[in-house]
């Protein structure tokens, strides 16, 4: 299989560009990656099929918490808060509101947003729940979502339909439906668009959820990288597409 360097050298030869010149190499690399993206976007090719397993998280309820009105600090007693609780949601005894967990300080201290809106109480029960589950960063389009405990293939619904069915996210059980929601806000900007899933009902146990999907191909970067599309596309389609992009840049009369 040809490496990224081999493809770049051949493309440079076709276009009359010295690929050892840094500026030329950058352009050649970009044109090859754009051609790869173009090929992968034309069809749900079998070589783009992938699968992932999400494991749902059980609610956390151990111990009690002390809360002060208008404060964002949660003080626990016999709790087991963890860094993985950040971006989960917490509900306090006696109220239906949910608060997002912002930071983890210790096993007995976290902060929330917005600030606590109930009356001060030094000993309350609570529930910490995961609402959103992040997919792999290379997920482009979901083909199916399944859990095998029931077993059932989950039905995809819109986020608005899920909100109508479960406006306060209180129903729990084995998931039967899911909605695609936002990009994961904790990961920042990257090549993959890391979408999140929300399940209905909210999982009441650890379930292994299988996600089959069409993946995004990551950009080639290192000289030794091997292109991820089948070999038969390399010359007849990929290099031809990259050469066309280069010809446009060079205003080559042979572009057509």
């Amino acid at each position: 299989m040809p490496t990224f360097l081999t493809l770049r050298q051949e493309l440079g030869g076709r276009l009359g560009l010295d690929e050892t010149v840094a500026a030329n190499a950058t352009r050649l690399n970009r044109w090859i990656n754009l051609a790869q993206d173009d090929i992968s976007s034309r069809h749900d090719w079998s070589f783009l099929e992938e699968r992932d397993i999400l494991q749902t998280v059980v609610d956390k309820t151990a111990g009690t918490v002390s809360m002060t009105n208008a404060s964002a600090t949660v003080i626990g007693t016999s709790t087991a808060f963890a860094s993985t609780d950040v971006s989960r949601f917490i509900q306090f005894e006696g109220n239906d509101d949910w608060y997002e967990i912002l930071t983890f300080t210790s096993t007995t201290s976290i902060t929330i947003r917005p600030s606590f809106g109930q009356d001060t109480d030094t000993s309350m029960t609570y529930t910490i729940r995961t609402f959103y589950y992040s997919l792999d960063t290379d997920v482009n389009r979901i083909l199916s979502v399944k859990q095998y405990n029931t077993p059932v293939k989950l039905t995809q619904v819109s986020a608005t339909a899920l909100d109508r069915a479960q406006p306060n996210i209180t129903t729990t059980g084995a998931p039967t439906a899911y909605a695609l929601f936002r990009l994961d806000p904790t990961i920042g900007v990257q090549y993959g668009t890391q979408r999140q899933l929300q399940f209905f009902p909210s999982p009441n146990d650890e379930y292994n959820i299988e996600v089959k999907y069409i993946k995004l191909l990551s950009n080639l970067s290192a000289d030794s990288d091997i292109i991820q599309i089948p070999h038969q596309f390399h010359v007849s389609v990929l290099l031809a597409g990259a050469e066309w992009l280069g010809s446009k840049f060079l205003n080559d009369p042979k572009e057509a």
Side-chain angles (χ1 to χ4, degrees), residues 185-207:
T186 67
I187 62 172
V189 178
Q190 59 181 2
Y191 180 78
T193 53
Q194 190 164 10
R195 299 293 300 274
Q196 292 189 312
L197 296 182
Q198 184 178 356
F199 296 113
F200 175 82
S202 293
N204 64 342
D205 203 347
E206 289 185 351
Y207 297 96

Side-chain angles (χ1 to χ4, degrees), residues 8 17-28:
R8 187 172 68 239
L17 294 175
D18 183 357
E19 64 87 21
T20 63
V21 176
N24 289 341
T26 298
R27 295 186 183 101
L28 294 167

Side-chain angles (χ1 to χ4, degrees), residues 15-167:
L15 294 171
L17 294 175
D18 183 357
E19 64 87 21
T20 63
V21 176
N24 289 341
T26 298
R27 295 186 183 101
L28 294 167
N29 290 349
R30 178 63 176 160
W31 295 331
I32 292 171
N33 279 313
L34 285 172
Q36 175 183 257
D37 289 344
D38 185 37
I39 293 169
S40 62
S41 69
R42 297 298 181 108
H43 183 70
D44 285 347
W45 307 104
S46 60
F47 62 84
L48 296 176
E49 293 173 358
E50 190 55 271
R51 66 186 292 274
D52 185 23
I53 295 290
L54 297 177
Q55 189 170 76
T56 60
V57 181
V58 177
D59 290 350
K60 183 178 290 187
T61 59
T64 60
V65 294
S66 174
M67 296 300 303
T68 301
N69 177 258
S71 172
T73 301
V74 180
I75 302 300
T77 300
S78 300
T79 51
F81 300 146
S83 59
T84 52
D85 291 331
V86 173
S87 294
R88 299 179 75 189
F89 290 78
I90 185 169
Q91 184 184 64
F92 301 100
E93 177 185 0
N95 194 275
D96 290 333
D97 288 332
W98 290 90
Y99 297 81
E100 185 176 9
I101 299 174
L102 271 186
T103 63
F104 163 76
T105 304
S106 70
T107 57
T108 56
S109 180
I110 55 176
T111 63
I112 59 173
R113 71 173 176 190
S115 297
F116 185 61
Q118 300 166 232
D119 293 335
T120 298
D121 193 325
T122 58
S123 182
M124 288 189 295
T125 58
Y126 69 94
T127 298
I128 291 178
R129 180 168 296 168
T130 298
F131 289 168
Y132 307 111
Y133 291 84
S134 294
L135 296 164
D136 278 354
T137 57
D138 66 347
V139 173
N140 185 19
R141 188 174 69 81
I142 290 178
L143 298 174
S144 66
V145 179
K146 292 183 284 187
Q147 58 94 348
Y148 295 103
N149 293 63
T150 306
V152 64
K153 178 181 177 181
L154 275 62
T155 301
Q156 182 176 359
V157 298
S158 68
T160 53
L162 185 58
D163 285 342
R164 286 195 298 268
Q166 186 178 228

